[in-house]
Amino acid sequence: MIEVQHAWDIRIVLDLTLGGMGVATFIYAFLSYLKGEKEFSLKAAFAGMASLVLGLLILVTHLGKPEAAIYTMISPNLYSVMTWGVFFNILALVFGGLFALPAVVKLPYSSNEKIMTTLGAIGSIFSFLVMSYTGTLLARSSIHLWRSPATPLLFILLSLSSGAGLYFLVSHALKKEAPPILLDFSALTTLLALVTTTLYILLADISSEAYKFSVHLMLTEFLPVTLLLYLVGYAAPLVLYLLYKGKPSKTLLISIALLLILQSLLARLLLVYTGAMELPW
């Protein structure tokens, strides 16, 4: 018997989207900081950490037991990917938060370049681990669609794309020019995410019945979401990117940023809601 998973709902999708977007934005901000964009980079990093916190707060409403994170740290199961995820999130928040807080409040260490660089570097490492562990967590589950090496890769690509989107929005709000190289990079991650998502569908014929059922859901019950993902989440940002390269405009940049964030939300929603498992009865 094949059954669609019901344990994860829209709150998990939002947590995955906001968390991945937030940590990717933080990494971009730290790289900008190293290039000398101090004041702006701290504000972008703060926006990234705020996104991560918002995602975790939404996750807590799903779990219903915020104290579980404390118990996990006191008595960790080091063989559990979720346990490592708790540590990664907390450490990303601690070091990332300490790096980003000078954007809103003057702190004694904020003028110490060595301390700030160290905080940003450690925060970036744990941010990347947060970005990576969610896809790994799904890939180790009993859901056949998720149990693929493509899942961690897709989740990293979606985080990088949406993180660029949030970075562009912060750049626009603070009247800073978006780095052209980041725009090019977001087009690349979008293209790679499109290819990776397509492989999920193309591999259905040589996969398990539960996997085939998930792909069937993508092309039937969830066809509107699949079409939105391909047309609005993937194709539209690439088309607007080409238009922007020909004639840059603020409207195009904001549109690209919003579509990159929507891309991440739609792709994660599609994977989560079509995940199916084979029951032993």
Side-chain angles (χ1 to χ4, degrees):
M1 179 179 176
I2 298 174
E3 182 176 294
V4 179
Q5 71 83 24
H6 298 292
W8 286 17
D9 57 21
I10 189 63
R11 289 170 293 182
I12 297 294
V13 174
L14 290 173
D15 168 55
L16 294 173
T17 302
L18 291 166
M21 176 174 68
V23 293
T25 302
F26 180 87
I27 293 172
Y28 293 143
F30 177 62
L31 292 175
S32 176
Y33 181 89
L34 293 178
K35 292 180 179 179
E37 291 282 350
K38 307 297 184 184
E39 185 177 349
F40 164 75
S41 298
L42 293 179
K43 292 178 180 177
F46 186 84
M49 287 295 100
S51 180
L52 176 59
V53 169
L54 181 57
L56 291 174
L57 289 175
I58 294 173
L59 177 62
V60 167
T61 67
H62 174 79
L63 297 176
K65 295 181 178 180
E67 68 276 7
I70 300 175
Y71 176 78
T72 299
M73 295 196 71
I74 296 174
S75 303
N77 174 11
L78 299 181
Y79 296 99
S80 167
V81 177
M82 189 171 290
T83 296
W84 285 104
V86 170
F87 280 102
F88 294 158
N89 274 286
I90 291 175
L91 291 171
L93 279 175
V94 169
F95 289 100
L98 288 173
F99 175 82
L101 274 176
V104 293
V105 58
K106 184 71 173 178
L107 294 171
Y109 61 83
S110 59
S111 58
N112 188 314
E113 189 67 21
K114 187 174 181 179
I115 292 178
M116 289 295 291
T117 302
T118 301
L119 289 173
I122 297 175
S124 294
I125 291 171
F126 283 111
S127 289
F128 182 78
L129 291 173
V130 169
M131 190 193 310
S132 306
Y133 105 89
T134 49
T136 304
L137 176 64
L138 267 68
R140 290 173 60 89
S141 72
S142 59
I143 308 298
H144 288 224
L145 180 68
W146 302 348
R147 295 180 66 177
S148 164
T151 303
L153 172 62
L154 179 62
F155 272 46
I156 289 174
L157 292 170
L158 295 172
S159 296
L160 292 172
S161 290
S162 58
L166 179 56
Y167 191 94
F168 295 150
L169 292 179
V170 175
S171 298
H172 174 72
L174 298 178
K175 300 186 183 336
K176 296 289 291 186
E177 183 179 353
I181 190 172
L182 184 55
L183 189 64
D184 296 338
F185 184 66
S186 68
L188 175 62
T189 57
T190 294
L191 182 60
L192 292 175
L194 186 157
V195 172
T196 305
T197 304
T198 303
L199 285 175
Y200 276 100
I201 298 173
L202 295 179
L203 292 175
D205 289 339
I206 59 172
S207 302
S208 67
E209 291 303 314
Y211 189 105
K212 291 178 182 177
F213 184 77
S214 292
V215 173
H216 174 73
L217 286 177
M218 289 182 183
L219 302 178
T220 54
E221 185 178 340
F222 286 88
L223 182 59
V225 180
T226 303
L227 290 175
L228 270 177
L229 174 59
Y230 272 88
L231 296 176
V232 179
Y234 291 147
L238 291 173
V239 171
L240 294 184
Y241 162 75
L242 294 175
L243 292 174
Y244 185 89
K245 295 295 284 187
K247 188 178 180 181
S249 77
K250 292 180 180 179
T251 301
L252 281 176
L253 184 63
I254 294 173
S255 299
I256 291 171
L258 294 175
L259 290 174
L260 290 174
I261 295 172
L262 183 61
Q263 170 196 126
S264 180
L265 177 65
L266 289 172
R268 295 178 197 272
L269 187 149
L270 188 64
L271 250 67
V272 167
Y273 275 80
T274 58
M277 66 186 82
E278 291 184 11
L279 300 178
W281 57 83

